[in-house]
Amino acid sequence: MILERPEEPGKKYALTFTILVHVGLIAALFLGVQWKRSPPEVMNVELWSSKPTPATYVPPPPPPVQEVKPVAKPLPKVEAKPEPAPTKPDIVVKEEKKQPKPEPKKPEPKAEPAKPEPKKPEPQLPDFSKELARETANLKSRPNTQQIANAAAAEAEQRAASNRRGTEAYATKIRIKIRGNMVQPPSIQGNPEAVFIVDQLPSGEVLKVDLKRSSGNPGLDQAIERAIRKSSPLPKPDDPAFFQRSLEIKYKPFEE
Amino acid sequence: MNVTQDLSILHLIINASAVVQIVMAILAGVSVMSWYYIFMKWFAVRQARSKTEIFERDFWSGGDLNSLYNSAVNDRHHAGSMERIFEAGFREFAKLKGQKNLDPKDVVDGSRRAMRATYQREVDGLESHLAFLASVGSVSPYIGLFGTVWGIMHSFRGLANVGQATLSAVAPGIAEALVATAIGLFAAIPAVLAYNRFAHDIDRLSIRYESFMEEFSNILQRQMR
C-alpha cells in the first residue's frame, strides 16, 4: 500500500530563491570586485623617456670610425634602407640626434665599402635634407621626420603603438653594439643582407647564434657571427617587457 | 606584450581554455541544482516539523483515536509524516483486531511493522537529495581545483613562449583559472552547511517518529486488553 507521496513543498519558491541567490552572486562578482586594472600609462611614459637613452648609447660605436670619406656619400647611405621597416629608421634618428658624432659615424661604413651602388642615394638624398632641416629646427621632432621618410601613415601608427617603439629602441641598441664590434672583411660585393637567429639569456648573454639566411659571402657571415658573439652580453631593453629570448638580427654591411 | 587591460569576470570566463570552461559550466549547473535542493529541503523539513508538532499536540490532547484516523485518511494530502505513520499503524491494528485467532502480541507486532514500513518511507522521502548535497559538498571543490590546475598549467606553458616571466604574462591565466575554484567553493560551502543542518534536523525528526511509534504501540497494546 504505497501512498502517493505528497508533492514536495515549495518547488516554485525553491526555484525562485535559487535564481535570486545566483543573480546575487553574479552581481557581486561583476560589481563588487574591481576587476579593472588601471591602464599601464606609466609604461608609455617610460617609452618616451627611453628614446634619449638609446641615443647616449650611440656614441660608443663610433670608435671604429673611419672618417676618410667625404660627407656627400655618407648621406645617401644613411637612408639606404627604405625597405627595412621601422627598425632601421630608428638608427638613423639616433645618429642624427648626436649631430657631432653621427657624421663621423656615417662616413665609416662608406669608407670601407666604397662600392655602395648609386641606386639608393637618389631617394635618400631628399629625405636626408628634410631631416637636417628638422633637426636644426627641433630636436624633439626627430621621430616625426624619420617617420615621414618612411610613410605618413607610419607616423600615426607609431604614436599608437608605443610598444613597437620600445622594441625598436631595443633593436637599435643591439644593432649598434654589434656594429661596434664588427670587423668587415675587405671584399664585399654589393650590400648583401644576412639574417641570424640569436638566443640570449635574460642577462643578455648570447647562447646560440644561428645563421638563418646567408649573405652569400661566407667570410662576411663569419665576421657577423663573431661580432654578435663579441657583443655578448647584449644590451638590455629599458623596459624588461621588451626582452625577447630569441632575436632575429638582420645585418647589412653598409646600412648606415 | 599584449597586456589584458580588462580583467572583468566575463572576460576571464570567455578567455578561459575549453577544459576550464567546461569545468566552470559543470560547476555552475551543480551550484544551481544544489541551491534548488537546499531550498526545497529547507521548506520540506520546516513543513514536516510544523506538521509533526500539530499532530503531536492533537494526539496527546487525548482525542479519540478513530476520529484522528478518519481525519488523517480524509486529509491525506495535507497529512504530515507522523500522521501517516499513525494512519498505517492504526489501519493495520484495526484489520488484525477483527480476526479471532490472533494473539494480542501478534496484532501489536503487525501494526508496528506497518508503522515501521511507513516510517522508513517517510524518512527516505525526507532524506532524498541529501546525498546529492553531500557529494556536491565534497566533490565540487575538487572539480574546481582541477579546472584551476589545468588553467594554471596552460598559463605556465604560455609563459614559456614569453621571454621574460612578468607577472602580467601569467596573471590573467591564473585569474581565469581561479574563477573555477571560486565557483566550486561557491557550490560546495552552502551544500556542506545545508547537508549537515538537514541531516541533523532529519535525525531529530526521525527520533521523534520512532518514539511516537513506541508510545503508540503501547497504547495499542493497552487497547487489546
Side-chain angles (χ1 to χ4, degrees):
Chain A
M1 74 169 196
I2 291 178
L3 312 173
E4 19 18 316
R5 280 206 59 76
E7 279 282 294
E8 291 254 12
K11 272 191 177 173
K12 276 180 195 164
Y13 288 115
L15 202 61
T16 323
F17 279 115
T18 307
I19 293 168
L20 276 182
V21 165
H22 285 87
V23 167
L25 170 77
I26 292 168
L29 278 178
F30 271 98
L31 307 176
V33 188
Q34 273 298 342
W35 290 89
K36 303 280 182 191
R37 247 183 349 187
S38 60
E41 292 187 24
V42 190
M43 248 176 70
N44 284 337
V45 178
E46 283 185 37
L47 289 175
W48 282 105
S49 67
S50 81
K51 274 246 155 181
T53 41
T56 52
Y57 282 81
V58 180
V65 177
Q66 303 178 350
E67 303 180 350
V68 184
K69 287 278 172 173
V71 188
K73 283 189 177 181
L75 298 180
K77 290 189 177 181
V78 175
E79 300 278 351
K81 298 202 171 180
E83 312 161 6
T87 43
K88 297 172 181 176
D90 267 354
I91 299 171
V92 177
V93 176
K94 286 158 193 173
E95 290 173 357
E96 291 176 359
K97 281 183 183 175
K98 301 158 185 186
Q99 294 172 351
K101 294 186 178 181
E103 291 201 343
K105 266 188 160 187
K106 295 162 187 173
E108 332 169 15
K110 300 216 166 171
E112 292 183 0
K115 301 155 188 176
E117 291 95 353
K119 319 168 183 175
K120 296 169 184 177
E122 298 178 357
Q124 294 165 354
L125 271 173
D127 286 345
F128 185 72
S129 60
K130 279 183 194 172
E131 287 184 5
L132 270 182
R134 299 225 176 171
E135 282 177 11
T136 50
N138 203 347
L139 278 179
K140 291 170 186 176
S141 63
R142 285 291 151 75
N144 287 342
T145 53
Q146 160 203 350
Q147 295 291 7
I148 292 171
N150 277 344
E155 275 186 37
E157 196 185 90
Q158 193 185 16
R159 277 184 196 163
S162 55
N163 275 351
R164 214 188 54 189
R165 201 172 300 199
T167 348
E168 284 172 20
Y170 180 36
T172 311
K173 273 174 156 190
I174 293 175
R175 192 174 292 103
I176 288 171
K177 178 151 190 190
I178 294 175
R179 202 165 279 281
N181 288 321
M182 181 71 183
V183 180
Q184 300 249 5
S187 59
I188 300 173
Q189 302 291 328
N191 193 8
E193 187 187 60
V195 180
F196 285 86
I197 303 287
V198 176
D199 287 349
Q200 62 168 339
L201 291 175
S203 60
E205 258 134 311
V206 173
L207 275 183
K208 204 171 72 175
V209 181
D210 282 336
L211 181 61
K212 190 184 177 192
R213 202 171 68 228
S214 167
S215 61
N217 182 338
L220 178 59
D221 291 345
Q222 277 174 21
I224 297 173
E225 186 175 337
R226 266 198 304 276
I228 292 176
R229 291 195 183 278
K230 213 172 155 191
S231 307
S232 170
L234 295 171
K236 288 183 203 156
D238 297 315
D239 184 342
F242 295 120
F243 180 86
Q244 287 185 356
R245 226 185 143 79
S246 177
L247 302 165
E248 187 179 284
I249 297 183
K250 290 180 188 164
Y251 191 93
K252 279 191 179 181
F254 309 127
E255 95 186 76
E256 293 188 63
Chain B
M1 257 172 260
N2 286 331
V3 183
T4 331
Q5 311 219 1
D6 184 18
L7 273 188
S8 83
I9 192 113
L10 194 70
H11 218 76
L12 290 180
I13 293 175
I14 291 174
N15 285 341
S17 70
V19 175
V20 179
Q21 276 177 341
I22 290 172
V23 165
M24 287 194 287
I26 291 175
L27 287 176
V30 161
S31 166
V32 169
M33 280 176 74
S34 76
W35 274 100
Y36 177 66
Y37 286 137
I38 286 170
F39 284 118
M40 232 167 68
K41 279 288 107 173
W42 189 39
F43 294 134
V45 168
R46 217 176 48 173
Q47 196 191 49
R49 205 187 301 130
S50 72
K51 281 189 173 166
T52 302
E53 261 150 29
I54 292 171
F55 179 76
E56 274 184 333
R57 212 174 45 230
D58 289 352
F59 185 81
W60 296 112
S61 64
D64 181 22
L65 287 186
N66 276 316
S67 65
L68 267 179
Y69 174 74
N70 284 335
S71 81
V73 171
N74 293 337
D75 204 11
R76 187 172 278 164
H77 284 284
H78 296 286
S81 300
M82 194 181 262
E83 210 163 354
R84 279 194 290 272
I85 292 172
F86 162 78
E87 179 199 329
F90 195 78
R91 183 194 291 118
E92 192 67 17
F93 176 76
K95 275 187 202 156
L96 292 178
K97 200 182 171 189
Q99 298 179 10
K100 288 284 155 69
N101 47 0
L102 265 181
D103 209 17
K105 193 167 167 267
D106 291 339
V107 176
V108 174
D109 275 356
S111 92
R112 179 182 267 177
R113 273 194 299 273
M115 283 194 289
R116 181 148 290 273
T118 313
Y119 159 81
Q120 270 161 0
R121 247 192 317 269
E122 293 298 327
V123 172
D124 177 63
L126 276 176
E127 280 180 343
S128 66
H129 305 312
L130 270 196
F132 177 81
L133 288 183
S135 41
V136 166
S138 55
V139 165
S140 70
Y142 293 115
I143 302 180
L145 196 61
F146 168 73
T148 298
V149 168
W150 191 273
I152 289 181
M153 272 163 51
H154 242 275
S155 67
F156 275 124
R157 210 178 55 188
L159 193 60
N161 302 329
V162 185
Q164 192 143 17
T166 54
L167 200 53
S168 57
V170 231
I174 292 181
E176 73 197 21
L178 285 178
V179 173
T181 307
I183 301 180
L185 290 181
F186 178 75
I189 294 172
V192 171
L193 279 178
Y195 173 77
N196 289 336
R197 167 84 197 275
F198 294 148
H200 176 71
D201 283 354
I202 292 170
D203 262 1
R204 286 179 60 189
L205 273 179
S206 61
I207 287 172
R208 267 164 106 167
Y209 296 159
E210 265 178 328
S211 36
F212 168 78
M213 280 158 50
E214 301 300 318
E215 283 163 342
F216 187 50
S217 306
N218 278 342
I219 291 172
L220 291 181
Q221 198 156 28
R222 259 181 268 137
Q223 288 225 339
M224 286 299 295
R225 305 214 174 107

